[in-house]
Amino acid sequence: MNMAAQQIAAVEAFEQDVLSGLSASRKTLPCKYLYDEAGSRIFERICELEDYYLTRTEAAIFAEQLDNIAARLGEDVVLIEPGAGNCEKAEPLLQRLVSPSGYLPMDISPEILLAARARIQRSLPDLEVVPAVGDFTSALIWQRLPATSGRKVVFFPGSTIGNFTPDAASELLQLFAARLRPGDGLLLGADLVKDSIVLERAYHDSEHVTEAFNKNLLHRINRELDGSFNVDNFAHRAFYHSRRQRVEMHLVSLAQQNVNVCGRTFLFEEGETIHTENSHKYTLTGLQALLNSTGFAPRQYWTDNQQHYAILYAEIH
Ligand SMILES: C[S@@+](CC[C@H](N)C(=O)[O-])C[C@H]1O[C@@H](n2cnc3c(N)ncnc32)[C@H](O)[C@@H]1O
């Protein structure tokens, strides 16, 4: 598929997913659509928030353990990063690795990814950087990756794994495993179960940036799918569901209202919500079990001293 055909397919998929999500008895929208260009920029601001401990904590573990992590990954590695965003986490790792053979970042949001490629090529001019725009949950994008020599390591930081339900996370890791050979690796960053107050503050921050991130999805639907959402008629809600071990993000309708999207009308009752994102939290044992059940043997992990966050390295059996 050429670029134009890919873009048309992406718009069609967005339309189909939004129409089916809003038609469901419990309205929902896939969280990958939060990341258009504006959403990706807002997410960068989230990562800098005091309340959003995830990025800060993961960065501190990387800063402290980078030499150990690089040594663990070994030489001649091809780093594949699904959901790479601005690729800021890969860059120091690539600089520390011994003769990396390539860097293959993937993201659904093209603007930030393509800008990051130019930056990485300036700082690592000898490295082959081949970005891929598309959905990393689809086998298609994995088939489009160039054939490379060297051991492959999938780099999956930022607790993006948490955006998948446990079943979907298991399917996703199996999809990764299917593209890897014995001895290839996975470097995974995941948020751990903790106090619900800390968790809820991260997704309902005092500066209202997560609110802007959530509501941007309605602006996007208005812009791209001829939607008529009055964004002020929806409120941002985020709460920790302890049994499901996840923070759920919703948009709550503040009134009974009709909204048009692509020529179809959807009725919202007052208080009805659109479920826009899950962020699942794991225990260390839960993560190790997930890896073991999807073909990966956990080899090592690193955490902060409060055990708020973990980075795990595993290899295909
Ligand atoms: C939680 S952010 C993490 C970004 C970055 N890896 C980090 O650690 O800061 C998730 C990233 O994955 C991308 N993304 C989410 N779902 C995706 C999907 N299904 N396919 C491709 N990219 C996706 C988003 O655009 C965003 O850049």
Side-chain angles (χ1 to χ4, degrees):
M1 244 199 287
N2 63 29
M3 274 294 262
Q6 272 178 41
Q7 271 166 358
I8 293 170
V11 173
E12 283 173 359
F14 182 41
E15 174 176 334
Q16 216 172 41
D17 288 344
V18 168
L19 293 179
S20 88
L22 294 181
S23 308
S25 55
R26 290 186 180 195
K27 294 182 173 59
T28 177
L29 293 170
C31 68
K32 62 186 173 191
Y33 295 121
L34 292 163
Y35 297 91
D36 62 347
E37 186 176 7
S40 298
R41 301 259 174 237
I42 303 173
F43 182 72
E44 287 185 325
R45 283 171 51 213
I46 291 178
C47 290
E48 290 164 8
L49 292 171
E50 185 57 32
D51 289 337
Y52 196 73
Y53 63 88
L54 286 88
T55 310
R56 195 168 6 101
T57 312
E58 189 186 56
I61 303 171
F62 269 120
E64 201 178 301
Q65 302 292 348
L66 204 53
D67 283 336
N68 295 331
I69 294 172
R72 183 86 237 194
L73 264 54
E75 298 180 15
D76 301 324
V77 159
V78 180
L79 202 66
I80 305 173
E81 187 177 359
N86 60 17
C87 307
E88 268 182 7
K89 293 174 185 168
E91 200 171 338
L93 179 60
L94 287 162
Q95 278 164 343
R96 208 60 68 96
L97 286 172
V98 179
S99 58
S101 304
Y103 175 49
L104 313 178
M106 308 169 170
D107 208 284
I108 202 162
S109 182
E111 296 83 3
I112 290 206
L113 183 66
L114 299 178
R117 174 208 206 166
R119 193 191 71 233
I120 293 192
Q121 283 195 316
R122 272 196 305 278
S123 77
L124 291 152
D126 296 331
L127 184 73
E128 192 183 6
V129 181
V130 185
V133 175
D135 185 340
F136 63 66
T137 63
S138 148
L140 283 177
I141 193 168
W142 291 87
Q143 287 155 9
R144 289 203 329 258
L145 291 183
T148 43
S149 59
R151 267 183 63 244
K152 294 194 186 85
V153 173
V154 173
F155 181 42
F156 202 40
S159 205
T160 304
I161 189 78
N163 293 143
F164 296 82
T165 60
D167 283 350
S170 170
E171 259 178 52
L172 184 67
L173 293 187
Q174 288 176 63
L175 177 71
F176 294 176
R179 312 305 302 179
L180 302 176
R181 287 189 299 247
D184 287 348
L186 168 70
L187 187 63
L188 176 73
D191 199 19
L192 300 177
V193 170
K194 63 181 67 60
D195 188 293
S196 63
I197 294 176
V198 178
L199 286 169
E200 287 180 358
R201 208 185 300 132
Y203 295 85
H204 206 141
D205 65 279
S206 54
E207 294 173 50
H208 306 284
V209 186
T210 350
E211 174 178 347
F213 180 62
N214 200 6
K215 290 187 173 177
N216 175 59
L217 185 50
L218 302 185
H219 288 296
R220 179 179 184 184
I221 294 172
N222 285 349
R223 217 173 31 245
E224 295 181 25
L225 300 180
D226 199 16
S228 70
F229 278 103
N230 178 346
V231 178
D232 292 338
N233 276 350
F234 287 83
H236 168 69
R237 181 189 290 165
F239 59 90
Y240 185 58
H241 192 307
S242 55
R243 190 170 48 79
R244 295 192 178 138
Q245 281 185 206
R246 69 188 191 195
V247 176
E248 292 190 8
M249 202 161 82
H250 291 253
L251 287 161
V252 188
S253 176
L254 296 175
Q256 191 187 62
Q257 54 187 318
N258 282 316
V259 176
N260 301 322
V261 178
C262 289
R264 282 182 49 190
T265 302
F266 298 92
L267 169 70
F268 285 80
E269 299 294 347
E270 183 179 344
E272 188 177 357
T273 81
I274 313 174
H275 186 170
T276 48
E277 191 189 64
N278 288 319
S279 296
H280 288 261
K281 307 301 164 188
Y282 283 91
T283 59
L284 273 169
T285 32
L287 283 168
Q288 285 162 335
L290 175 67
L291 290 169
N292 271 316
S293 67
T294 50
F296 291 95
R299 298 280 189 236
Q300 196 168 351
Y301 68 83
W302 302 267
T303 61
D304 55 298
N305 53 16
Q306 289 182 286
Q307 295 227 329
H308 272 186
Y309 197 92
I311 294 170
L312 294 92
Y313 179 67
E315 282 176 355
I316 293 285
H317 290 290

